[in-house]
Amino acid sequence: TTFSLVQVHCSPRSVFGVENFLDDDNSKPYTYQKGKKLKNPNKHVSFKQRTEAYMEPFTLDVFISKRFVSTSVTHRVTCKQVAVAGTNSKDIKAVLRSRSDIPACLVIGRILAERAREVDVYTASYTPRERDKFEGKIRAVVQSLIDNGIDIKVYLD
């Protein structure tokens, strides 16, 4: 009797006990490229589309809820947060009277600017989310960053 060797592909189980599923390209599990897959792979991609993430590598993210304000500066290519500030942290929470008013937004902008300068980040780009208007508290955070030495490019549609 002869046995044929059959190679069975079993992906290793992850730390949390959930199997790692491979995506369409059989590449690393749970890694997806941003954006849609092009229907036409030969379609021309402009120079600006290819280089924008490298020319303006840092983005500003501002989240404002009814209770607190949270901001961060993120590196676009590596997706690492280089500077973070929020009114929920203990040291800032104790000083502020309210955690979500405009003076709190100005303080958060100043603190984020200091932390960004510590890691040599002097420029960032900001695109408001679709539901956000560039006014009030969000504008206060961005204006505070600009006043404290961080150059912010705001992209409004």
Side-chain angles (χ1 to χ4, degrees):
T1 59
T2 58
F3 294 100
S4 61
L5 294 173
V6 178
Q7 193 172 14
V8 179
H9 175 71
C10 293
S11 61
R13 294 176 69 79
S14 72
V15 179
F16 302 109
V18 180
E19 292 178 9
N20 290 332
F21 294 102
L22 299 174
D23 58 3
D24 299 339
D25 305 322
N26 281 344
S27 61
K28 293 179 183 175
Y30 302 117
T31 54
Y32 302 102
Q33 289 184 345
K34 262 187 169 178
K36 301 174 186 170
K37 287 186 178 177
L38 294 174
K39 291 179 182 173
N40 181 4
N42 300 326
K43 184 179 178 190
H44 176 72
V45 180
S46 72
F47 180 76
K48 183 178 180 184
Q49 289 172 322
R50 284 179 283 157
T51 58
E52 191 176 24
Y54 299 95
M55 300 301 240
E56 297 169 358
F58 296 102
T59 58
L60 171 68
D61 182 41
V62 179
F63 177 74
I64 297 176
S65 73
K66 291 179 182 177
R67 291 174 176 249
F68 65 92
V69 178
S70 175
T71 59
S72 65
V73 174
T74 308
H75 191 267
R76 232 189 243 191
V77 181
T78 60
C79 296
K80 289 189 177 173
Q81 291 182 331
V82 293
V84 180
T87 56
N88 250 3
S89 59
K90 283 185 181 177
D91 53 344
I92 301 170
K93 193 191 305 188
V95 178
L96 296 174
R97 196 169 53 89
S98 170
R99 285 190 254 164
S100 63
D101 58 353
I102 288 185
C105 292
L106 295 171
V107 169
I108 287 302
R110 191 180 74 239
I111 292 170
L112 186 68
E114 289 171 10
R115 292 179 181 174
R117 274 187 272 125
E118 284 175 12
V119 291
D120 293 334
V121 175
Y122 297 98
T123 59
S125 61
Y126 174 67
T127 307
R129 295 185 175 106
E130 287 186 20
R131 64 177 180 272
D132 291 343
K133 293 181 181 140
F134 187 64
E135 57 188 36
K137 295 176 184 176
I138 293 177
R139 188 170 191 132
V141 171
V142 173
Q143 192 61 49
S144 179
L145 280 162
I146 292 169
D147 294 344
N148 287 290
I150 305 294
D151 182 37
I152 304 288
K153 265 191 186 175
V154 180
Y155 290 100
L156 300 173
D157 293 334

Coordinates of all heavy atoms in Angstrom, one line a residue, residues 57-58 73 75 82-83 113-123 150:
P57 N 2.8 63.9 5.7 CA 2.7 62.6 6.4 C 1.9 62.6 7.7 O 1.5 61.6 8.2 CB 4.2 62.2 6.8 CG 4.9 63.5 6.8 CD 4.2 64.4 5.8
F58 N 1.6 63.8 8.3 CA 0.9 63.8 9.6 C -0.5 64.3 9.4 O -0.7 65.3 8.7 CB 1.7 64.6 10.6 CG 3.0 64.0 10.9 CD1 4.2 64.6 10.3 CD2 3.2 63.0 11.8 CE1 5.4 64.0 10.6 CE2 4.4 62.4 12.0 CZ 5.5 62.9 11.5
V73 N -2.3 63.5 16.7 CA -1.6 63.7 15.5 C -1.0 62.3 15.1 O -0.3 61.7 15.8 CB -0.4 64.7 15.6 CG1 0.4 64.8 14.3 CG2 -1.0 66.1 16.0
H75 N 0.8 59.6 12.1 CA 1.6 59.5 10.9 C 0.9 58.7 9.9 O 0.4 57.5 10.2 CB 3.0 58.8 11.3 CG 4.0 58.9 10.2 ND1 4.1 57.9 9.3 CD2 4.8 59.9 9.8 CE1 5.1 58.2 8.4 NE2 5.5 59.4 8.7
V82 N 1.7 60.0 17.1 CA 2.9 60.6 17.6 C 2.7 61.6 18.7 O 3.5 61.8 19.6 CB 3.7 61.3 16.5 CG1 4.2 60.3 15.5 CG2 2.9 62.4 15.8
A83 N 1.5 62.1 18.8 CA 1.1 63.0 19.9 C -0.4 62.9 20.2 O -1.2 62.9 19.2 CB 1.5 64.5 19.5
A113 N 0.0 70.8 20.8 CA 1.1 71.5 20.0 C 2.4 71.3 20.7 O 3.4 71.0 20.1 CB 0.8 73.0 19.9
E114 N 2.4 71.4 22.1 CA 3.7 71.1 22.8 C 4.2 69.7 22.6 O 5.4 69.5 22.4 CB 3.4 71.4 24.3 CG 3.2 72.8 24.7 CD 2.8 73.0 26.2 OE1 2.8 72.0 26.9 OE2 2.4 74.1 26.5
R115 N 3.3 68.7 22.7 CA 3.7 67.3 22.5 C 4.1 67.0 21.1 O 5.0 66.2 20.9 CB 2.5 66.4 23.0 CG 2.2 66.5 24.4 CD 1.1 65.7 24.9 NE 0.9 65.8 26.3 CZ -0.2 65.3 27.0 NH1 -1.1 64.5 26.3 NH2 -0.3 65.4 28.3
A116 N 3.5 67.7 20.1 CA 3.9 67.5 18.7 C 5.3 68.1 18.5 O 6.1 67.5 17.8 CB 2.9 68.1 17.8
R117 N 5.6 69.3 19.1 CA 6.9 69.9 18.9 C 8.0 69.1 19.5 O 9.1 69.1 19.1 CB 6.9 71.3 19.4 CG 6.4 72.3 18.4 CD 6.5 73.7 18.8 NE 5.3 74.1 19.5 CZ 5.3 74.6 20.7 NH1 6.4 74.8 21.4 NH2 4.1 74.9 21.3
E118 N 7.6 68.4 20.7 CA 8.6 67.5 21.3 C 9.1 66.4 20.4 O 10.3 66.0 20.5 CB 8.0 66.9 22.6 CG 8.0 67.8 23.7 CD 7.2 67.2 24.9 OE1 7.0 66.0 24.9 OE2 6.9 68.0 25.9
V119 N 8.3 65.9 19.5 CA 8.7 64.8 18.6 C 8.9 65.4 17.2 O 8.9 64.6 16.2 CB 7.6 63.7 18.5 CG1 7.5 62.9 19.8 CG2 6.2 64.2 18.2
D120 N 9.2 66.7 17.1 CA 9.6 67.3 15.8 C 8.6 67.2 14.8 O 8.9 67.0 13.6 CB 11.0 66.8 15.3 CG 12.1 67.1 16.2 OD1 12.0 68.1 16.9 OD2 13.1 66.4 16.2
V121 N 7.3 67.5 15.1 CA 6.2 67.6 14.1 C 5.8 69.0 14.1 O 5.3 69.5 15.1 CB 5.1 66.6 14.5 CG1 3.9 66.8 13.5 CG2 5.5 65.2 14.4
Y122 N 5.9 69.7 13.0 CA 5.5 71.1 12.9 C 4.4 71.4 11.9 O 3.9 72.5 11.8 CB 6.8 71.9 12.6 CG 7.8 71.8 13.6 CD1 8.9 71.0 13.5 CD2 7.7 72.6 14.8 CE1 9.9 70.9 14.5 CE2 8.7 72.5 15.8 CZ 9.8 71.6 15.6 OH 10.7 71.5 16.6
T123 N 4.1 70.4 11.1 CA 3.0 70.5 10.1 C 2.1 69.3 10.2 O 2.5 68.2 10.5 CB 3.5 70.7 8.7 OG1 4.2 69.5 8.4 CG2 4.4 71.9 8.5
I150 N 2.1 75.1 15.3 CA 1.9 73.9 14.4 C 1.2 74.4 13.2 O 0.1 75.0 13.3 CB 1.1 72.8 15.1 CG1 1.8 72.4 16.4 CG2 1.0 71.6 14.2 CD1 3.2 71.7 16.3

